[in-house]
Amino acid sequence: MKKICFVALAALVLSACNSEPKFKVEGEVSGADGKMLYLEAAALEGIVPLDSVKLKGDGSFSFKQTRPVSPEFYRLRVDDKVINFSVDSTETIGLKAPYTDFATAYTVEGSANSTKIKELTLKQVQLQNEVNELVKKMQAHQIGADVFEEKLAALMKDYKDEVKTKYIFAAPNTAAAYFALFQKLNNYLIFDPLNSKDDIKCFAAVATSLNNYYPHADRSKNLYNIVIKGMKNTRTPQQKVLELPEEVISETGIIDISLRDMKGNTHKLSDLKGKVVLLDFTIYQSAASAPHNFLLNDLYTKYKDQGLVIYQVSLDADEHFWKTTADNLPWISVRDANGIYSNVAAMYNVKEVPSLFLINRNSELSARGETIKDLDAAVKALL
């Protein structure tokens, strides 16, 4: 009798566990016979494995998982190919994809947000390809630095304007809007939540909507914290008259800069007299930083033995990110803790980043980026 009761109780518990609401993702992956297909959660703390299956000839698969308490993100992965999708509740999502173009040529049914995520993914892939082509042309000297910077800025602006309008502000309460905020170019966020006032507005719109619908969700709290930090970083300081102490202006007339590198060593711009200096103001956490640094690296490699020095000033709000990113750079990298409200940047009339200046061997300001038509030729002329 006791044995029968125990079996009955176990069956009841198992039944209760199986009755938890679940979502389902099913479909086919063609041309992937023998490949492992993984279902993973794209959680705040990172990628979490959930389930897997070895695909057979027809490529069919079916996964079930407990529904999330608020919209969450998941992905299917074969080798290093990934499909991102979102789940709101207990929906059944259908995904079909060829193995070859798994990450881009798939179809999705049963989830409007996942359809939007696919659209965003394809747009991001196109943007990355266009930027890669620009870098190749610049490295092959088919276009000059001015054309490279102008085209890169235009590509970024057009992309962000479209995504803001169609995906973020149009429906800030959706998983697709959240996904758009964290897209990357060259592994850097396209929308910068710490250094750009305009981008922080996008994060704030989504944070407000998520907080209204899911105030207790971890993603809502995390996004809210990001917005608060970004607003703090970009808050306009109290107005004060900018006074230039006489010692700030060197004998030669340049505005001197004295900042520390990641090891705590102080580097003064005026100490580089006798060298040709490319002074660069940048934000490493910007998506434009990597291609811009490719440009600088080409110049530095070509002319460093002839006397070219790069003095790069980071205006990043995140000190740790700056240290990590700048660690392997071959030139001088310092950081101004005042970020986008840097007095030094203001003295040089920096209105956007990246922004560069050329200083000749006599420590005299020779040119600023927007007036330079051919950066390579301009550097060579000063050497």
Side-chain angles (χ1 to χ4, degrees):
M1 181 67 181
K2 289 183 179 179
K3 184 176 181 180
I4 294 175
C5 290
F6 177 77
V7 171
L9 180 60
L12 183 63
V13 171
L14 183 62
S15 174
C17 292
N18 290 334
S19 67
E20 288 184 4
K22 297 180 182 297
F23 72 87
K24 184 177 182 181
V25 54
E26 60 185 8
E28 300 171 5
V29 182
S30 60
D33 187 17
K35 293 284 186 180
M36 291 298 298
L37 177 68
Y38 298 90
L39 173 66
E40 300 168 332
L44 279 174
E45 62 271 20
I47 302 302
V48 180
L50 297 176
D51 203 349
S52 63
V53 64
K54 188 173 184 179
L55 297 170
K56 297 182 179 180
D58 63 356
S60 62
F61 67 89
S62 180
F63 295 118
K64 283 186 177 181
Q65 288 290 320
T66 303
R67 73 163 191 183
V69 294
S70 59
E72 271 299 339
F73 297 91
Y74 300 86
R75 55 186 229 168
L76 292 177
R77 179 174 63 83
V78 177
D79 295 337
D80 60 348
K81 309 170 191 285
V82 171
I83 292 175
N84 291 291
F85 63 97
S86 67
V87 174
D88 291 335
S89 184
T90 57
E91 63 262 46
T92 295
I93 298 175
L95 287 163
K96 294 183 179 180
Y99 170 75
T100 306
D101 298 312
F102 183 77
T104 55
Y106 67 93
T107 60
V108 58
E109 297 179 348
S111 170
N113 269 309
S114 296
T115 299
K116 292 289 186 183
I117 287 173
K118 179 188 175 182
E119 292 174 8
L120 285 162
T121 298
L122 295 179
K123 288 180 185 298
Q124 185 275 334
V125 169
Q126 181 181 352
L127 175 64
Q128 184 68 69
N129 289 338
E130 290 175 341
V131 171
N132 290 345
E133 284 301 312
L134 268 185
V135 172
K136 287 180 182 178
K137 288 181 179 179
M138 180 267 297
Q139 291 177 328
H141 304 292
Q142 295 175 1
I143 59 175
D146 58 325
V147 175
F148 173 77
E149 298 284 7
E150 287 174 9
K151 288 186 177 293
L152 177 62
L155 284 174
M156 293 293 294
K157 182 180 184 303
D158 289 347
Y159 185 87
K160 292 171 76 169
D161 285 348
E162 180 181 9
V163 171
K164 284 178 187 179
T165 303
K166 293 184 179 180
Y167 297 91
I168 297 177
F169 292 131
N173 61 323
T174 62
Y178 184 100
F179 182 84
L181 294 177
F182 293 96
Q183 284 194 294
K184 293 184 176 182
L185 176 70
N186 298 315
N187 292 320
Y188 296 95
L189 288 177
I190 295 173
F191 290 91
D192 185 350
L194 296 181
N195 301 291
S196 169
K197 285 185 176 182
D198 286 340
D199 292 355
I200 291 169
K201 291 177 183 176
C202 297
F203 278 78
V206 178
T208 301
S209 294
L210 276 183
N211 190 61
N212 287 337
Y213 285 90
Y214 309 101
H216 303 297
D218 288 340
R219 288 193 187 274
S220 300
K221 296 174 184 177
N222 182 64
L223 200 58
Y224 179 78
N225 288 336
I226 290 173
V227 171
I228 293 300
K229 186 174 181 180
M231 291 176 67
K232 181 179 179 180
N233 288 339
T234 59
R235 182 179 296 128
T236 304
Q238 291 184 344
Q239 294 296 319
K240 59 181 180 180
V241 178
L242 185 62
E243 298 180 354
L244 304 184
E246 290 184 7
E247 61 269 20
V248 170
I249 303 179
S250 69
E251 294 177 355
T252 55
I254 66 164
I255 300 170
D256 203 4
I257 301 175
S258 181
L259 293 169
R260 296 182 183 276
D261 63 18
M262 65 190 69
K263 295 180 180 179
N265 300 318
T266 298
H267 295 268
K268 294 185 68 175
L269 187 61
S270 57
D271 286 344
L272 300 175
K273 185 175 181 179
K275 301 284 188 178
V276 171
V277 181
L278 191 155
L279 170 63
D280 186 61
F281 293 88
T282 193
I283 291 177
Y284 292 118
Q285 209 161 2
S286 162
S289 174
H292 177 70
N293 278 349
F294 287 147
L295 167 68
L296 297 188
N297 190 60
D298 276 357
L299 282 170
Y300 187 72
T301 302
K302 188 175 181 180
Y303 294 119
K304 64 179 179 178
D305 293 336
Q306 298 179 43
L308 176 66
V309 175
I310 294 179
Y311 188 104
Q312 193 168 52
V313 181
S314 162
L315 303 180
D316 287 84
D318 189 330
E319 181 179 10
H320 176 73
F321 189 93
W322 160 64
K323 287 183 176 180
T324 303
T325 307
D327 187 44
N328 295 318
L329 293 178
W331 51 73
I332 297 170
S333 175
V334 295
R335 174 176 174 266
D336 191 328
N338 292 314
I340 61 174
Y341 293 110
S342 161
N343 284 341
V344 172
M347 286 184 250
Y348 275 89
N349 197 27
V350 173
K351 296 180 179 177
E352 60 182 18
V353 289
S355 186
L356 59 85
F357 303 81
L358 287 181
I359 299 169
N360 65 23
R361 293 184 187 274
N362 295 320
S363 286
E364 297 166 340
L365 190 61
S366 174
R368 56 184 300 141
E370 56 265 34
T371 67
I372 301 172
K373 296 302 181 184
D374 187 333
L375 184 58
D376 187 286
V379 170
K380 188 175 181 180
L382 292 178
L383 292 168

